[in-house]
Amino acid sequence: MVDDIPFLPEISTSKPLSLLGHVGRFGLWLWVAGITDIEIHFLQIKFTAIGVYLEPEVVAHLQQWKGKSGNELAQDDDFFEALISAPVEKIVRVVVIKEIKGSQYGVQIESAVRDRLAAVDKYEEEEEEALENIIQFFQSKYFKKHSVITYTFPSASPSTGTAEISFSTEGKEEAKIKVENGNVVEMIKKWYLGGSSGVSPTTVASLANNLSALLSK
């Protein structure tokens, strides 16, 4: 449970995935959870709950950080770069807490991804087109409470640069879009899993603490 939002401890793709997070390890996969929020006039407004699903094999690609504490990992952006580039399947499941328009969410993605690409001089016509397709995908959607946005990054995505985004909400058929621009895919990963630059500090802290515990075994 993350802010009263339930997350399955395990999901199945080509093989079962478990959620990496506060209570450790389940089966073949791992779990982590957090939220996105903003403070307005001293009130904390929560927008989404986030579950991150990773293959347990990810630990083999992070041995350089064995013995580091969760606090140390949370502040080490090189650690999160290694996590993002590790050749394992990753799924980020985002569940809506506060209702918003899909166009508002699309603007958040556009700004986050475009600014990251521009900062490393990778925002070209192909990236602009791929990002525009994502924005159009969300444009007509309405994010009711408990709507789910799922980002699936295949294990081969570091080399192929692909991802699938799906959106599901009560009473409507699930919608999907494939993203085939590697630079855009990389920056979406960094938006959710990017250490100090990630959108959700609670997700980053939970990832760091739980991967630290797994690396110490």
Side-chain angles (χ1 to χ4, degrees):
M1 300 294 292
V2 182
D3 201 69
D4 295 327
I5 301 292
F7 282 89
L8 293 173
E10 185 173 275
I11 58 177
S12 294
T13 55
S14 56
K15 53 185 170 180
L17 306 188
S18 294
L19 190 67
L20 175 68
H22 305 299
V23 296
R25 189 167 181 167
F26 291 87
L28 297 178
W29 286 64
L30 313 169
W31 75 266
V32 80
I35 61 169
T36 58
D37 61 0
I38 189 171
E39 188 173 292
I40 301 175
H41 299 305
F42 306 105
L43 293 174
Q44 184 190 38
I45 308 298
K46 298 176 182 178
F47 288 100
T48 61
I50 301 166
V52 178
Y53 295 79
L54 302 168
E55 290 185 63
E57 288 84 355
V58 69
V59 175
H61 302 279
L62 303 172
Q63 290 300 307
Q64 178 182 339
W65 289 272
K66 190 177 182 70
K68 297 287 187 182
S69 70
N71 284 338
E72 288 175 307
L73 294 181
Q75 298 172 40
D76 189 340
D77 284 347
D78 288 339
F79 171 76
F80 287 95
E81 286 284 347
L83 173 64
I84 288 167
S85 62
V88 299
E89 188 169 5
K90 307 171 183 75
I91 291 179
V92 178
R93 181 160 287 180
V94 183
V95 182
V96 175
I97 297 174
K98 182 174 176 57
E99 296 186 5
I100 61 169
K101 295 178 181 177
S103 57
Q104 293 173 289
Y105 183 79
V107 167
Q108 293 177 25
I109 293 180
E110 179 185 29
S111 177
V113 172
R114 184 190 60 226
D115 290 353
R116 283 168 170 78
L117 288 169
V120 293
D121 198 26
K122 290 184 177 180
Y123 190 62
E124 304 292 343
E125 186 174 328
E126 293 85 356
E127 286 71 32
E128 182 179 8
E129 182 179 350
L131 194 52
E132 181 61 32
N133 288 339
I134 297 172
I135 295 165
Q136 289 298 319
F137 173 74
F138 286 118
Q139 186 72 34
S140 61
K141 311 289 189 292
Y142 187 75
F143 289 18
K144 296 189 291 186
K145 187 171 183 178
H146 296 159
S147 297
V148 180
I149 308 103
T150 303
Y151 296 88
T152 301
F153 305 102
S155 58
S157 62
S159 58
T160 60
T162 64
E164 182 182 82
I165 304 173
S166 68
F167 174 79
S168 60
T169 191
E170 185 180 4
K172 294 200 175 182
E173 187 175 341
E174 183 180 41
K176 296 181 179 181
I177 183 175
K178 190 168 185 179
V179 185
E180 297 182 304
N181 183 287
N183 290 330
V184 170
V185 169
E186 180 186 8
M187 295 310 171
I188 293 174
K189 287 183 189 176
K190 288 185 175 182
W191 191 35
Y192 279 109
L193 308 173
S196 63
S197 65
V199 69
S200 170
T202 55
T203 302
V204 168
S206 190
L207 270 170
N209 287 331
N210 289 282
L211 285 169
S212 172
L214 289 172
L215 285 165
S216 69
K217 293 182 179 179

